[in-house]
């Protein structure tokens, strides 16, 4: 699976949009971009994933650049409960290797 | 649908003992993966099971083993515990493996 690069930390004001960047310059055509988050000492929570089109669900939006070398997770109205470590993962899904490879992630702190 | 459940949630053992952790996947999910999370190494893949067969294995010693039952429930066992086995053990399930994985709350193991 391609490696990803994320900033180690970022702060966000409550009620504002949080934009989390992720670089995956070696991504290949059959690799999806997945985002998970992990609130302290809990299991990772799935947020969203996409291949090349932008995606939106009730939690977040995922914007993938046209060349697919980077993406941005957008939390539209951050709340204190969004404070967590956010992981960007690229993953081949048509394969016999189903593991997720987690990096260090971005520690997001939402401040009141 | 109920989420992934893991038991026990917390466990304290001493060096040399063995431990068995249990994971019940989301109903209908047949793939179960196990991960170890430590502050130093982050989230690392242990193994993945589907239809009672181990399909993928991470780089862990043979002391770490697992199995899956016909109802898709899975157990992992760690024998001859070492201090370094203290970690959060996470289980994730998906339909057949290549789809989105959903994580349980984890079992926190402390080895004294």
């Amino acid at each position: 699976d391609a490696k990803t690069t994320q900033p180690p930390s970022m702060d966000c004001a409550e009620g504002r949009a949080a934009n989390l960047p992720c670089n995956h310059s070696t991504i290949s055509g059959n690799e999806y971009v997945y985002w998970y988050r992990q609130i302290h000492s809990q299991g990772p929570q799935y947020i969203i994933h996409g291949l090349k089109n932008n995606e939106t669900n009730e939690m977040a939006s995922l914007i993938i650049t046209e060349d697919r070398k980077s993406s941005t997770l957008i939390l539209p109205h951050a709340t204190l409960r969004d404070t967590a470590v956010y992981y960007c993962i690229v993953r081949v899904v048509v394969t016999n290797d189903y593991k997720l490879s987690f990096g260090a992630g971005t520690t997001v702190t939402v401040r009141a | 649908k109920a989420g992934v459940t893991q038991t026990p949630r917390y466990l304290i053992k001493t060096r040399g003992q063995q431990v068995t952790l249990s994971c019940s996947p989301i109903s209908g999910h047949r793939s179960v993966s196990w991960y170890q999370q430590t502050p130093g190494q982050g989230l690392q893949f242990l193994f993945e099971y589907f239809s009672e067969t181990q399909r993928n294995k991470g780089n862990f010693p043979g002391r770490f083993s697992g199995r899956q039952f016909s109802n898709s429930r899975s157990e992992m066992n760690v024998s001859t515990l070492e201090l370094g086995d203290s970690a959060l053990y996470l289980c994730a399930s998906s339909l057949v493996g290549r789809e989105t994985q959903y994580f349980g709350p984890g079992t926190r193991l402390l080895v004294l």
Side-chain angles (χ1 to χ4, degrees):
Chain A
D1 292 347
K3 290 186 177 178
T4 62
T5 303
Q6 299 177 252
S9 64
M10 62 183 293
D11 285 358
C12 176
E14 188 179 23
R16 306 294 291 268
N19 296 306
L20 284 62
C22 180
N23 285 316
H24 30 80
S25 58
T26 60
I27 195 170
S28 58
N30 61 354
E31 288 185 307
Y32 283 71
V33 179
Y34 275 78
W35 283 84
Y36 283 79
R37 72 180 182 184
Q38 188 173 25
I39 297 168
H40 183 62
S41 293
Q42 298 181 21
Q45 178 188 23
Y46 165 75
I47 302 173
I48 199 167
H49 75 282
L51 184 62
K52 48 185 175 181
N53 296 325
N54 298 336
E55 302 287 344
T56 295
N57 63 20
E58 65 279 3
M59 289 183 67
S61 295
L62 174 61
I63 308 298
I64 303 174
T65 57
E66 195 168 336
D67 63 7
R68 301 187 70 240
K69 293 183 185 299
S70 66
S71 59
T72 301
L73 178 75
I74 301 172
L75 307 177
H77 305 287
T79 71
L80 299 178
R81 287 178 294 181
D82 292 323
T83 292
V85 178
Y86 287 77
Y87 297 98
C88 168
I89 298 164
V90 291
R91 177 178 180 234
V92 177
V93 292
V94 183
T95 179
N96 291 326
D97 185 358
Y98 302 112
K99 70 176 180 292
L100 295 173
S101 297
F102 288 80
T106 297
T107 300
V108 173
T109 303
V110 180
R111 302 191 186 281
Chain B
K1 271 186 182 178
V4 178
T5 58
Q6 293 186 245
T7 56
R9 292 293 312 278
Y10 304 93
L11 207 48
I12 300 175
K13 292 285 188 179
T14 56
R15 278 181 299 173
Q17 288 187 308
Q18 73 160 19
V19 67
T20 300
L21 312 181
S22 180
C23 171
S24 292
I26 291 171
S27 177
H29 286 192
R30 294 165 61 194
S31 168
V32 174
S33 296
W34 288 89
Y35 295 82
Q36 180 198 64
Q37 186 174 30
T38 59
Q41 299 296 320
L43 267 150
Q44 292 188 288
F45 173 76
L46 280 157
F47 28 64
E48 186 255 352
Y49 285 88
F50 176 78
S51 289
E52 303 176 63
T53 300
Q54 186 183 92
R55 288 195 299 195
N56 300 136
K57 190 176 190 306
N59 293 324
F60 279 83
R63 300 185 298 106
F64 291 81
S65 63
R67 60 177 175 167
Q68 187 180 35
F69 301 96
S70 58
N71 63 358
S72 296
R73 190 177 69 84
S74 177
E75 290 181 345
M76 67 162 283
N77 184 78
V78 188
S79 62
T80 320
L81 284 166
E82 301 177 359
L83 295 179
D85 297 333
S86 294
L88 179 66
Y89 289 89
L90 294 156
C91 159
S93 78
S94 65
L95 280 169
V96 294
R98 62 174 64 94
E99 312 82 2
T100 301
Q101 294 184 16
Y102 296 91
F103 284 81
T107 294
R108 186 162 296 281
L109 171 65
L110 177 61
V111 181
L112 301 176

